[in-house]
Amino acid sequence: DGGITQSPKYLFRKEGQNVTLSCEQNLNHDAMYWYRQDPGQGLRLIYYSQIVNDFQKGDIAEGYSVSREKKESFPLTVTSAQKNPTAFYLCASSPRDREAFFGQGTRLTVV
Amino acid sequence: GENVEQHPSTLSVQEGDSAVIKCTYSDSASNYFPWYKQELGKRPQLIIDIRSNVGEKKDQRIAVTLNKTAKHFSLHITETQPEDSAVYFCAAMYSSASKIIFGSGTRLSIRP
């Protein structure tokens, strides 16, 4: 079953903790993306990657980090430097010059 | 930097009427423009897309138009139905970097 999988679906973080959100795709897509969605808001780009071992900052990269060691995987770490991390996080992948396919999302809450 | 502006932020139309959502983009190098529909609590899903070498594309009740000179593109939904109620996002792809920038979204409500 092909697709893009995010885990966990819900995540709770204590203040000052780093947490990592998982994103895996078996679609053989080159590009992968992380977006943040706040209630009633649009999708803001955090990081994106065109190829393995390369990634670029999006519009709101501060307080986040990523890696792209494998084509299939693009994990996002929300660090303690991110002051307001509570949001819905969406991972996506796309073949070159094509639409993005989204995962189910991870809802992160700071407790 | 690259930017996509989307209007209106909310739209309410009578069932059976048409709905139009408009977007503008800043980077003239953009060449691919997808539209997504997001239902409550779910992931965005592609509903239609258009490339920069095409001025209009239609798929049943949904159509998209593109004006490259003005850097505008629009989504048109005709004969709206209750299941059209959702948030709609436009996007622009900057293909030189595989970067996809989204508009801020339009919450469409269909009144019975």
Side-chain angles (χ1 to χ4, degrees):
Chain A
D1 186 24
I4 179 164
T5 303
Q6 289 185 242
S7 62
K9 189 173 182 180
Y10 298 97
L11 186 58
F12 297 89
R13 191 195 93 170
K14 292 182 179 179
E15 288 195 24
Q17 278 186 339
N18 292 354
V19 291
T20 297
L21 283 59
S22 171
C23 180
E24 303 277 334
Q25 54 101 359
N26 60 5
L27 301 169
N28 199 33
H29 288 170
D30 291 315
M32 296 188 74
Y33 310 83
W34 275 105
Y35 292 91
R36 170 177 171 147
Q37 187 173 31
D38 293 286
Q41 302 292 316
L43 304 173
R44 291 186 290 168
L45 183 63
I46 305 173
Y47 270 98
Y48 65 106
S49 168
Q50 296 182 78
I51 56 172
V52 174
N53 292 322
D54 187 47
F55 49 83
Q56 287 77 40
K57 292 181 179 180
D59 298 323
I60 57 165
E62 186 175 350
Y64 300 97
S65 65
V66 293
S67 63
R68 186 87 187 274
E69 297 177 0
K70 298 186 298 182
K71 188 175 186 178
E72 303 79 19
S73 179
F74 192 42
L76 174 74
T77 296
V78 184
T79 74
S80 57
Q82 171 50 238
K83 298 306 178 187
N84 186 22
T86 295
F88 188 50
Y89 291 87
L90 284 159
C91 178
S93 68
S94 75
R96 190 169 296 278
D97 291 345
R98 288 279 310 277
E99 76 272 20
F101 295 81
F102 285 88
Q104 294 273 31
T106 293
R107 192 166 298 281
L108 173 64
T109 304
V110 173
V111 297
Chain B
E2 304 96 342
N3 187 45
V4 176
E5 293 190 1
Q6 182 171 349
H7 300 281
S9 57
T10 60
L11 180 60
S12 178
V13 301
Q14 194 75 34
E15 183 177 351
D17 287 350
S18 296
V20 180
I21 302 170
K22 298 182 178 182
C23 291
T24 60
Y25 60 98
S26 59
D27 189 338
S28 57
S30 300
N31 64 354
Y32 175 65
F33 306 91
W35 285 86
Y36 289 82
K37 176 182 181 181
Q38 186 180 29
E39 297 177 344
L40 191 63
K42 296 189 176 181
R43 73 183 93 186
Q45 303 240 337
L46 181 78
I47 54 172
I48 196 168
D49 56 9
I50 192 167
R51 295 196 177 273
S52 58
N53 58 350
V54 176
E56 183 173 1
K57 183 177 179 180
K58 190 173 182 180
D59 182 4
Q60 299 183 355
R61 296 187 297 109
I62 295 173
V64 58
T65 59
L66 172 65
N67 181 331
K68 281 181 60 179
T69 302
K71 292 190 274 186
H72 291 172
F73 57 116
S74 300
L75 178 72
H76 304 252
I77 306 174
T78 59
E79 301 173 15
T80 53
Q81 300 170 4
E83 54 265 35
D84 294 330
S85 293
V87 178
Y88 291 81
F89 293 99
C90 62
M93 175 178 264
Y94 299 84
S95 62
S96 61
S98 294
K99 187 176 183 181
I100 305 176
I101 300 295
F102 283 81
S104 54
T106 296
R107 183 172 298 279
L108 176 62
S109 300
I110 308 301
R111 302 191 304 271

